[in-house]
């Protein structure tokens, strides 16, 4: 039997499993390399952001850490426990705002990572962006994922308002909050700006048809999901129970930090100060809640605290709730991106 000629070998089709091609490596397409570079950049971006933020805020970080080192460790440990419970409550609200069931462990990890993303985008946009990416990766349609963000925000703000009203009705400290209310010279331009923004938004939705169509579809999807969610008792308990628990847990964390640093204010006053300051300037788009921190210090001083202790309490609160979880949060965020969970 004669052996095949070289010309006949060259005409044979070479399969990937052929012995003649087993040692060769096909070059990867440019799209694969570009996608890998993008994923690597997304993984490293949170770490670089955390390092840059820490370097640019060295005095604040040093002062907060120095005071926390001298504080009562047991109260700090209690504050850390309430901080962890706040992530659990946020996960409950996220699940309660969505008809679809998502894995609870991954949802909790995404909310932990969302805290690090909030340092990149103001007004909670970072956490919402992480949540939307997480839900989209779980197969939730974009309209439903966006509608859940709206229901989450509505439940959170409504429950916070209810808790604030109850504390105002039951605590005599509400009389001191009158000093924090801005005068009419500031309220008039603020009301004018808010009214102008609403008028512009209404005009755009009325005139621009390509903009009105997606907004109408989003509202229709949001109303349908809200009805479906409120027809399930478990979703209602998770949504509104978690929404009520979140401001109480955050205020309790602040009270624990104050107790560790010697803040001579009762728990109800500290929680009321936290809710009042957050309600007053919580809508200001400042990364890290800088405007809220300034208002919180002033509110604690108004309730009778010394200025140095109030400042140290707010710094300690930010250290425990934002700065300490920042590096682990960025690592979890990078891991979730690398695992394509986000």
């Amino acid at each position: 039997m004669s052996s095949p000629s070289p010309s006949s070998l060259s005409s044979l089709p070479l399969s990937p499993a052929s012995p003649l091609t087993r040692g060769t490596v096909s070059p990867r397409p440019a799209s694969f390399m570009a996608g890998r570079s993008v994923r690597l950049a997304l993984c490293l971006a949170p770490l670089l952001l955390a390092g840059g933020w820490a370097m640019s805020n060295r005095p604040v970080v040093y002062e907060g850490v120095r005071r926390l080192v001298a504080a009562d460790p047991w109260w700090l440990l209690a504050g850390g426990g309430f901080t962890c419970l706040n992530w659990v409550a946020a996960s409950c609200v996220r699940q309660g705002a969505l008809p679809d069931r998502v894995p609870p462990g991954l949802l909790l990890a995404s909310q932990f990572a969302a805290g690090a993303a909030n340092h990149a985008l103001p007004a909670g946009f970072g956490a919402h962006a992480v949540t939307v990416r997480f839900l989209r990766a779980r197969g939730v349609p974009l309209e439903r994922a966006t509608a859940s963000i709206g229901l989450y925000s509505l439940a959170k703000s409504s429950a916070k308002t209810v808790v604030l009203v109850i504390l105002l009705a039951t605590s005599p400290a509400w009389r001191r909050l009158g000093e924090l209310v801005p005068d009419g010279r500031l309220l008039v331009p603020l009301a004018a700006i808010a009214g102008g923004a609403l008028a512009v938004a209404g005009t755009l939705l009325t005139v621009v048809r390509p903009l009105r169509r997606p907004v109408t579809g989003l509202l229709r999807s949001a109303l349908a999901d809200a009805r479906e969610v409120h027809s399930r008792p478990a979703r209602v308990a998770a949504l509104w129970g978690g929404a009520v628990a979140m401001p109480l847990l955050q205020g309790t964390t602040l009270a624990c930090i104050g107790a560790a640093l010697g803040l001579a204010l009762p728990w109800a006053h500290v929680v009321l100060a936290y809710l009042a300051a957050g309600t007053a300037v919580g809508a200001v788009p400042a990364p890290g809640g800088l405007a809220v921190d300034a208002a919180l210090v002033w509110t604690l001083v108004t309730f009778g605290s010394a200025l140095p202790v109030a400042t140290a309490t707010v710094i300690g609160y930010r250290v425990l709730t934002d700065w300490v979880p920042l590096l682990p949060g960025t690592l979890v965020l990078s891991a979730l991106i690398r695992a394509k969970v986000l």
Side-chain angles (χ1 to χ4, degrees):
M1 184 176 180
S2 61
S3 61
S5 61
S7 60
S8 61
L9 286 175
S10 62
S11 62
L12 292 175
L14 299 179
S15 63
S18 174
L20 298 177
T21 60
R22 187 172 296 169
T24 62
V25 178
S26 60
R28 292 178 175 177
S31 60
F32 175 82
M33 299 302 296
R36 186 174 182 180
S37 300
V38 170
R39 287 195 298 271
L40 181 61
L42 290 175
C43 291
L44 294 178
L47 297 178
L48 295 177
L49 177 65
W53 180 89
M55 292 297 295
S56 62
N57 293 273
R58 288 193 304 271
V60 179
V61 173
Y62 173 77
E63 180 66 17
V65 171
R66 186 184 69 82
R67 289 184 178 273
L68 283 178
V69 168
D72 188 341
W74 294 108
W75 279 114
L76 294 181
L77 184 62
F82 285 113
T83 301
C84 296
L85 290 177
N86 184 66
W87 293 320
V88 176
S91 301
C92 291
V93 181
R94 296 287 188 187
Q95 178 61 87
L98 188 71
D100 309 77
R101 181 172 177 80
V102 294
L106 291 179
L107 178 60
L108 180 60
S110 70
Q111 295 310 294
F112 180 65
N118 266 341
H119 287 276
L121 296 174
F125 292 145
H128 294 332
V130 169
T131 302
V132 169
R133 286 183 61 90
F134 170 76
L135 296 179
R136 294 288 292 128
R138 305 277 74 75
V140 179
L142 180 59
E143 287 188 354
R144 177 167 287 181
T146 309
S148 72
I149 297 298
L151 184 56
Y152 169 89
S153 302
L154 178 61
K156 184 179 175 181
S157 59
S158 301
K160 184 176 181 180
T161 303
V162 170
V163 174
L164 176 60
V165 170
I166 293 175
L167 287 177
L168 287 174
T170 57
S171 176
W174 65 269
R175 298 182 180 90
R176 301 182 181 181
L177 293 177
E179 304 175 9
L180 303 176
V181 178
D183 55 15
R185 291 175 298 178
L186 182 60
L187 290 177
V188 170
L190 289 178
I193 293 174
L198 291 176
V200 170
T203 303
L204 290 177
L205 292 177
T206 303
V207 176
V208 183
R209 180 173 297 179
L211 181 62
R212 183 171 68 249
R213 186 173 302 171
V215 172
T216 304
L218 178 61
L219 291 176
R220 189 181 298 111
S221 176
L223 291 176
D225 287 352
R227 286 195 298 267
E228 184 175 355
V229 163
H230 285 85
S231 65
R232 306 180 185 180
R235 291 289 193 273
V236 173
L239 177 64
W240 294 104
V244 171
M246 285 182 67
L248 293 177
L249 290 172
Q250 293 163 357
T252 304
T253 302
L254 180 66
C256 290
I257 301 300
L261 296 172
L263 184 70
L265 289 178
W267 174 86
H269 289 191
V270 176
V271 176
L272 179 59
Y274 174 82
L275 294 176
T279 303
V281 293
V284 177
L290 299 179
V292 177
D293 291 347
L296 183 54
V297 171
W298 184 251
T299 307
L300 292 174
V301 171
T302 303
F303 280 172
S305 172
L307 180 59
V309 180
T311 304
T313 299
V314 175
I315 291 176
Y317 176 78
R318 285 301 170 193
V319 168
L320 186 62
T321 60
D322 287 348
W323 303 343
V324 170
L326 183 58
L327 180 58
T330 53
L331 293 175
V332 172
L333 180 60
S334 300
L336 293 179
I337 294 174
R338 192 171 184 83
K340 299 182 180 180
V341 176
L342 300 179

